[in-house]
Amino acid sequence: MAALEDGDMNTFGPELPAMFDGMKLAAVATVLYVIVRCLNLKSTTAPPGIIYQDTPLSRYLFKTCPMLTKEYIPPLLWGKSGHLQTALYGKMGRVNTPTPFGVRKFLPMQDGATATFDLFEPIGEHSTGDDITMVICPGIGNHSEQNYIRTFVDHSQRQGYRCAVLNHLGALPNMELTSPRMFTYGCTWEYAAMVAYIKQAFPQTLLVVVGFSLGGNIVCKFLGEHTSNQDRVLCCVSVCQGYSALRAQETFLQWDQCRRLYNFVLADKMKKLILSHRSSLLSMKSSNIGDADLNRLYSATSLMQIDDSIMRKFHDYSSLKEYYEKESCVHYIHNVTVPLLLVNSSDDPLIHQSLLAIPRTLAEKMPNVIFALTQHGGHLGFFEGAVLFPQPLTWMDKVIVEYTNAICHWEKDWPSCQRSSQHEAEWKYTKL
């Protein structure tokens, strides 16, 4: 019997190593397949998709702002993954972040709140010779000390722009609230106060309005609320916003693109920020927030739950639906008449594809709007690079400044630019 068993072992022995080698190869192949799928390595790079109307200004912009039509190339090994672009932005912000020197300004508001913004003077003269100020609104819970803001400010300063960066109410560390409210999704009060200060302090300056993510919603809503808000504004750039909170809330509960997970992470961040101001929110007599609201906040796992229990009450909205409808720029953005560049990324895991119908339709109907949709970039990532390591400046930083420079020169040399564009159009017509 023993002899028979030994024979069996000799029979199957040579096959076992081959079988194990086959299993190893299968495991390696599976891992490589997952890596290729997760990193989206098979995806090709391409120029942004541009929706626009053919006007003298758009023709001028495409000639003088080549980044709008040039191929955007993210880092080869990980830059085609919207999740990794978003995660790197969220964790690091940027690489080799500069530290621009600014002065913090404090603005008392009518309701007792204290708005703050940081002011950064230009480094050198603008190419037009004009005094131009970028008025910048950061993303949710962000402020001037975020790495992506510091990188953009430093780049803009070196191009001759003064920069004013809003610090969202309640977002700055170690600064107490002076009224029982914080920033919300679409409240423009603090941003309007900053813009009014800049206009008064620098009577000759022209303004460039820039908003990132939630800040994009705020600046577009601000411009569309009153026609006078567009006075002295050269143009507006909005990056990675969702346009309609009411439509977005449903998509944030879905698991595709891990959106539900991002919702949980952002909710946890907002929860900690609100609870850091617990004593201020509870101690003030005019507060609409009570212990019961904060108790519901502890168990909240989504932004919608936080908005319903806390955020909408800062402005006495009767329901979550009313809060989202009144604070979304989708109801105001059609009133914006200055040149408007809307930038989004197709692989942004926070912005559902259905929301992009809003800027697409807007650009199809309004001659002042250009909608640029990149294939890669994630949410406020837009890193560029060769293989592994990203460059300090992102595609986003560079395209905003390049577009703004083009608009500044168009406005300064408008008659000659118009004649040139008209001559070019006539030449094309005669060729046809």
Side-chain angles (χ1 to χ4, degrees), residues 64 131 242 306 312 325 349 366 389 397 407:
T64 55
D131 185 304
I306 294 175
R312 69 175 178 85
E325 283 186 336
M366 298 184 63
F389 298 105
D397 301 318
I407 292 291

Side-chain angles (χ1 to χ4, degrees), residues 101-115:
F101 175 77
V103 178
R104 183 153 295 166
K105 302 291 185 179
F106 299 84
L107 304 175
M109 307 292 290
Q110 289 185 352
D111 66 342
T114 303

Side-chain angles (χ1 to χ4, degrees), residues 281-296:
L281 294 174
L282 288 177
S283 62
M284 298 183 190
K285 293 181 180 180
S286 58
S287 178
N288 294 327
I289 308 300
D291 284 316
D293 299 314
L294 289 177
N295 288 336
R296 283 193 293 272

Side-chain angles (χ1 to χ4, degrees), residues 13-86:
E15 297 178 4
L16 288 175
M19 183 172 67
F20 286 129
D21 287 343
M23 292 175 63
K24 290 178 183 178
L25 287 173
V28 170
T30 301
V31 170
L32 289 175
Y33 174 78
V34 171
I35 290 174
V36 169
R37 286 297 300 269
C38 291
L39 297 183
N40 203 20
L41 294 177
K42 294 181 69 176
S43 175
T44 58
T45 58
I50 306 293
I51 308 295
Y52 68 100
Q53 292 191 27
D54 186 25
T55 65
L57 176 58
S58 64
R59 289 194 294 269
Y60 175 81
L61 286 171
F62 294 138
K63 284 171 52 180
T64 55
C65 186
M67 293 197 69
L68 285 175
T69 54
K70 180 181 166 185
E71 185 179 30
Y72 161 52
I73 304 177
L76 177 64
L77 291 183
W78 55 268
K80 296 177 182 178
S81 166
H83 295 292
L84 288 179
Q85 287 253 18
T86 302

